[in-house]
Amino acid sequence: MHSWLLPCLLGGLALAAPTFAQDEDTPYAYPDDEKPEQTRGSRRHRTEPEEDMASDFRRISEEGDEEDFERLSRMDDPNTGVAFEALGGAMVVSSPRGQLLGDFLPAVGGRFTWEYGRLLGVEALRESLWFDVRYTYAGVREGTKLIVGDTRLHYATIAPAYELMFGESSEYGVYAQVGGGIAYEHTTLEIGGKVTPVDGVKPLIQYGVGLRGRTKVSSESNVRLAWRVELMRFRRGYLDDTFVGASLGTAF
């Protein structure tokens, strides 16, 4: 009995050894090893949207769609740069009688303004370059019961201007302006009830300086209050007429 018991025990031990051994290729996953994997996975999911957004911005910038960026850049200033103003003041007309200051006549008119600097794509010149299409009228009637003279002056000009703003986002600035146009003069001479008309057209040069403002009316609207105070001269032939006045209107 002892002779066969020893071989049986040795055989049983030999078969049990492979059962308790572990496979090195498939290690046991402990609970502590799963947490780092989950943490790395959650961090990866959080960074994926950020990387997607960065890639989208990079793609748009590489494509170079300038029209889209230009439209976005104008969102902070949606104004068109167009203004309409009524003007009034005094016109000092050169006097044929040789007076030092000339004749002071009331003057009225209107103008249309367009800021063409917005088309150049240069931020510094966006609101600094503009031009006026202007009409100004002045007239006088004087004489005696026997002789009466009636003079009507019409000035039509187009004048570019350059404005120096008081700040980067200021609504006010000083400007200098030079332009040209025509002056139409209609004069009638009445003697004893008989009227003799005299008409004439002369080219003129307009130049001067002024103060310009575009005050916001409401934060919810693009409409602004446009106004100016100016000193302007009209050179027609050998005569110099000086306008001192102001204007008020609306800018869009």
Side-chain angles (χ1 to χ4, degrees), residues 187-224:
T187 302
T188 60
L189 181 61
E190 183 179 348
I191 303 176
K194 184 178 179 180
V195 178
T196 302
V198 178
D199 297 324
V201 177
K202 290 183 179 180
L204 65 83
I205 298 175
Q206 173 191 341
Y207 60 96
V209 294
L211 172 66
R212 179 174 181 244
R214 289 156 302 152
T215 307
K216 289 184 179 180
V217 179
S218 173
S219 59
E220 300 178 356
S221 175
N222 298 333
V223 179
R224 298 189 180 190

Side-chain angles (χ1 to χ4, degrees), residues 4-66:
W4 59 267
L5 182 58
L6 182 59
C8 289
L9 293 175
L10 294 176
L13 292 175
L15 293 176
T19 303
F20 290 102
Q22 293 184 355
D23 188 3
E24 295 180 358
D25 296 336
T26 57
Y28 180 76
Y30 294 96
D32 295 339
D33 296 339
E34 295 179 356
K35 293 181 180 179
E37 290 293 334
Q38 294 175 358
T39 304
R40 287 193 297 270
S42 61
R43 185 182 299 111
R44 182 170 59 252
H45 289 301
R46 287 196 304 269
T47 56
E48 284 179 357
E50 297 177 0
E51 294 177 355
D52 293 340
M53 292 178 63
S55 62
D56 290 340
F57 281 115
R58 192 180 303 109
R59 176 178 54 80
I60 294 175
S61 61
E62 291 176 356
E63 290 177 357
D65 195 347
E66 296 181 358

Side-chain angles (χ1 to χ4, degrees), residues 97 103 140-152 188-192:
R97 296 187 295 270
D103 298 327
V140 61
R141 180 182 176 88
E142 58 184 0
T144 64
K145 293 182 179 180
L146 181 62
I147 301 175
V148 178
D150 191 353
T151 302
R152 300 286 184 263
T188 60
L189 181 61
E190 183 179 348
I191 303 176

Side-chain angles (χ1 to χ4, degrees), residues 175-193:
Y175 65 90
Q177 189 172 30
V178 178
I182 60 173
Y184 170 70
E185 181 177 357
H186 175 73
T187 302
T188 60
L189 181 61
E190 183 179 348
I191 303 176

Side-chain angles (χ1 to χ4, degrees), residues 38-140:
Q38 294 175 358
T39 304
R40 287 193 297 270
S42 61
R43 185 182 299 111
R44 182 170 59 252
H45 289 301
R46 287 196 304 269
T47 56
E48 284 179 357
E50 297 177 0
E51 294 177 355
D52 293 340
M53 292 178 63
S55 62
D56 290 340
F57 281 115
R58 192 180 303 109
R59 176 178 54 80
I60 294 175
S61 61
E62 291 176 356
E63 290 177 357
D65 195 347
E66 296 181 358
E67 295 182 357
D68 292 340
F69 284 110
E70 186 176 358
R71 286 193 295 268
L72 292 174
S73 65
R74 293 179 179 178
M75 290 179 63
D76 59 343
D77 184 14
N79 288 16
T80 58
V82 174
F84 299 91
E85 300 176 45
L87 59 91
M91 183 73 74
V92 185
V93 180
S94 295
S95 175
R97 296 187 295 270
Q99 293 178 333
L100 180 61
L101 297 178
D103 298 327
F104 284 80
L105 306 179
V108 294
R111 63 172 150 230
F112 162 78
T113 304
W114 181 45
E115 298 173 355
Y116 68 91
R118 296 170 179 264
L119 301 178
L120 304 179
V122 180
E123 189 65 25
L125 302 178
R126 182 176 176 83
E127 297 179 347
S128 297
L129 294 180
W130 43 270
F131 72 86
D132 288 334
V133 179
R134 171 177 178 152
Y135 167 76
T136 310
Y137 166 80
V140 61

